[in-house]
Amino acid sequence: MKITVQRARSLWFVYLTDLNPEGLNLLPFFQPLVARYNFQLFPTKPEELFGKEVIEIKFSGGSFQKKPQHNIGVELIIFSWGLVAETKSSTIDSDAFLDDLLNWASTEFKLIPYQEVLRSKAYVSEVWAQTEKRLNSLNPKLDDLAKRITSLIEGHGHHPIAYETSGIVFSTDPTVVNPPGSFRFERIIDVPFSENRYYSAAPLQTDTHVEILTELENILSS
């Protein structure tokens, strides 16, 4: 299975008031933040940072050097409840960026070390996958049902068509408090079936998401 990462998002739940219990003026923090990570799009006016209507503060087009000669594109959104980082490589890289950011902020701006006040983490992994396996192979009866659906529609003036299973979803009961996102594996919209391209999303670390997709491909092969 060929995998291309589309989104690797890390959400760190840490109240900004816990990081800054002394209520320090954080306005001087933002310009060095932009310079450190070379963000290309960012707020430029104080009211865009601290206005009463401000819900999020977004920084786009940044760069994080995880190791020499390896600059990773990053996005950052700051909320009152925490921080969200996004890359197109891995949630491990997104985590590494937030770790670097908050350790630097603690040292340079006398904020509380995040390790003392971090409440939890969550993840969103989205990838494109390419595999020769068809979802109908999960169960021969799915193939039979798809052919039955096809036969009922073919005679109504349509061009030649063939229905098949195009997606699977695993979800939790919606009554669960703060339910995690669903695991999805479905054909990419408007892409010919012959290309065998699928979109998959999961509330997992990127590496774990890829492991699950490998397991799914093995199931389809069995």
Side-chain angles (χ1 to χ4, degrees):
M1 181 177 290
K2 298 179 180 179
I3 301 290
T4 304
V5 177
Q6 300 299 308
R7 173 180 294 178
R9 176 174 284 187
S10 296
L11 301 87
W12 285 21
F13 296 90
V14 52
Y15 291 121
L16 299 189
T17 51
D18 288 345
L19 290 171
N20 183 23
E22 296 183 6
L24 301 174
N25 178 15
L26 293 182
L27 188 58
F29 162 76
F30 292 100
Q31 186 172 348
L33 169 67
V34 168
R36 180 177 177 85
Y37 300 108
N38 196 30
F39 285 113
Q40 301 302 301
L41 297 173
F42 49 88
T44 57
K45 301 176 182 178
E47 58 267 27
E48 295 175 325
L49 297 169
F50 302 109
K52 292 182 179 180
E53 304 301 319
V54 174
I55 298 176
E56 63 181 40
I57 305 172
K58 188 172 184 179
F59 300 83
S60 301
S63 179
F64 169 56
Q65 189 173 46
K66 186 178 179 182
K67 54 187 177 182
Q69 309 303 316
H70 189 195
N71 288 321
I72 299 166
V74 294
E75 312 286 323
L76 171 68
I77 307 177
I78 301 175
F79 298 91
S80 62
W81 51 260
L83 297 91
V84 176
E86 184 175 311
T87 67
K88 292 185 179 296
S89 53
S90 168
T91 50
I92 292 176
D93 291 338
S94 301
D95 276 347
F97 164 69
L98 288 177
D99 175 76
D100 182 83
L101 165 62
L102 290 176
N103 283 331
W104 165 74
S106 174
T107 300
E108 296 296 321
F109 297 93
K110 311 304 180 185
L111 301 183
I112 297 296
Y114 79 84
Q115 294 87 345
E116 298 179 13
V117 292
L118 179 65
R119 294 179 295 130
S120 62
K121 298 179 183 179
Y123 299 98
V124 176
S125 174
E126 296 181 9
V127 305
W128 284 1
Q130 191 169 19
T131 177
E132 297 299 323
K133 310 305 176 183
R134 297 169 61 242
L135 290 178
N136 279 4
S137 61
L138 284 170
N139 188 324
K141 293 181 180 180
L142 289 175
D143 207 10
D144 293 339
L145 182 61
K147 290 177 181 177
R148 169 70 172 148
I149 295 171
T150 298
S151 70
L152 293 172
I153 296 176
E154 273 186 324
H156 293 276
H158 292 272
H159 294 291
I161 58 172
Y163 276 81
E164 66 173 72
T165 307
S166 59
I168 55 175
V169 179
F170 297 91
S171 301
T172 61
D173 190 309
T175 61
V176 173
V177 178
N178 295 323
S182 299
F183 176 94
R184 313 182 71 88
F185 185 80
E186 54 200 21
R187 287 191 176 274
I188 299 174
I189 296 174
D190 295 331
V191 172
F193 281 13
S194 60
E195 294 188 16
N196 297 310
R197 290 184 178 273
Y198 292 83
Y199 162 84
S200 181
L204 300 169
Q205 289 263 31
T206 307
D207 291 355
T208 306
H209 187 187
V210 173
E211 289 177 10
I212 295 296
L213 291 175
T214 301
E215 291 182 32
L216 174 60
E217 187 174 45
N218 290 336
I219 292 171
L220 295 175
S221 301
S222 60

